[in-house]
Amino acid sequence: MENKGIEISLHSTNINSKDFIWTTDFNFSLNNNKVKDYYKAPSQTVQDKIFYGSQTEGYPIGALWGFKWAGLRHEDGVPQVYDKDGNIKYNYQEMKVDDVQYIGTAVPKYSGSMLNRFSFKDFELSALLIFNLGYKIATSNTNIQLSGRFDRNRTAEFDQRWRKPGDEEFTNVPSAFEDPKSTGRALWYSGYVYQYSDVAYESGSYMKLRELSLSYNLPKSVCKKLSIGNAKI
């Protein structure tokens, strides 16, 4: 595997006065990787390429694979995808290995953090932000059961399903069906098309406050009386 990237670390003292100090530590990294040589027999089935394609020559580690989403069918809310030639399909059994496309990677391309420290006399406030960008994660929508028979629990996304023509403009969740054996809408016909398409993934990029702390440094006179060098609460 080939890895190429950069890492940048910066420190700044933004304010430095008698009673108030503000410092910032910033870290940023970018990583581009590519699998150069990996012995694996060519994928013979659609599922093989989707489930075991995370290490594929010429692609980043953690590669994700699936069908290109074509939306829900207007008249009945059936999920649709494109094959490699751009034709719209809904029957999973008609899909070929070459119809499976690269979606993205499950490994963040960019990551970093920013730590700000504010000191006022004996008080100190610190805030740590972290971020990971440029990768995809699986959504919860594709785990819902499309069957309309309520013989098991449903996720909240089931309530977002297609119900009438026009709903495809507002949702990607397919319509429910009563009995997959009698209607011809068996899960392996249309459900798998939905579950194995790029609509099953969304951006995993995020930035969040990882840590926030407020502390108080005991005065040196108090520490001296307690026979300690320093103490922080």
Side-chain angles (χ1 to χ4, degrees), residues 4 26 81 85-87 90 124 132 136 153 160 170 176 184 188 190 192-193 197 200-201 213 216 225-226 230:
K4 293 182 179 180
F26 178 75
V81 294
D85 298 318
N87 301 309
Y90 74 92
E124 182 176 297
N132 284 294
K136 293 183 177 292
N153 292 333
Q160 301 171 12
F170 311 102
W188 52 86
S190 59
Y192 285 171
V193 165
S197 71
Y201 296 90
S213 65
Y216 174 71
K225 291 180 180 180
L226 298 175
N230 54 71

Side-chain angles (χ1 to χ4, degrees), residues 81-137:
V81 294
Y82 294 104
D83 65 12
K84 65 181 180 63
D85 298 318
N87 301 309
I88 294 179
K89 302 285 186 179
Y90 74 92
N91 189 338
Y92 171 74
Q93 293 179 325
E94 294 181 358
M95 304 305 291
K96 309 299 182 184
V97 174
D98 291 342
D99 297 327
V100 180
Q101 305 296 314
Y102 173 69
I103 294 174
T105 176
V107 179
K109 186 176 182 179
Y110 311 98
S111 61
S113 64
M114 183 170 66
L115 174 63
N116 281 290
R117 291 190 178 94
F118 306 91
S119 298
F120 178 71
K121 294 185 177 180
D122 293 324
F123 291 92
E124 182 176 297
L125 175 67
S126 65
L128 174 62
L129 291 171
I130 65 170
F131 60 87
N132 284 294
L133 310 172
Y135 73 110
K136 293 183 177 292
I137 59 174

Side-chain angles (χ1 to χ4, degrees), residues 80-227:
Q80 304 173 120
V81 294
Y82 294 104
D83 65 12
K84 65 181 180 63
D85 298 318
N87 301 309
I88 294 179
K89 302 285 186 179
Y90 74 92
N91 189 338
Y92 171 74
Q93 293 179 325
E94 294 181 358
M95 304 305 291
K96 309 299 182 184
V97 174
D98 291 342
D99 297 327
V100 180
Q101 305 296 314
Y102 173 69
I103 294 174
T105 176
V107 179
K109 186 176 182 179
Y110 311 98
S111 61
S113 64
M114 183 170 66
L115 174 63
N116 281 290
R117 291 190 178 94
F118 306 91
S119 298
F120 178 71
K121 294 185 177 180
D122 293 324
F123 291 92
E124 182 176 297
L125 175 67
S126 65
L128 174 62
L129 291 171
I130 65 170
F131 60 87
N132 284 294
L133 310 172
Y135 73 110
K136 293 183 177 292
I137 59 174
T139 68
S140 61
N141 283 15
T142 55
N143 291 322
I144 66 174
Q145 294 293 324
L146 299 178
S147 169
R149 295 173 297 175
F150 291 93
D151 54 351
R152 65 191 70 183
N153 292 333
R154 294 290 187 270
T155 62
E157 288 79 11
F158 185 75
D159 194 46
Q160 301 171 12
R161 67 191 183 277
W162 184 100
R163 289 180 170 87
K164 63 183 183 304
D167 285 352
E168 67 276 4
E169 298 294 331
F170 311 102
T171 183
N172 286 322
V173 181
S175 58
F177 54 95
E178 294 301 328
D179 187 349
K181 293 182 179 179
S182 63
T183 62
R185 276 200 55 195
L187 185 61
W188 52 86
Y189 276 15
S190 59
Y192 285 171
V193 165
Y194 175 60
Q195 293 176 349
Y196 299 156
S197 71
D198 54 10
V199 78
Y201 296 90
E202 62 186 3
S203 172
S205 300
Y206 71 90
M207 175 183 289
K208 69 176 182 179
L209 180 64
R210 178 73 173 269
E211 181 180 308
L212 181 66
S213 65
L214 176 65
S215 59
Y216 174 71
N217 295 297
L218 292 179
K220 292 183 179 180
S221 57
V222 175
C223 292
K224 185 176 181 179
K225 291 180 180 180
L226 298 175
S227 297

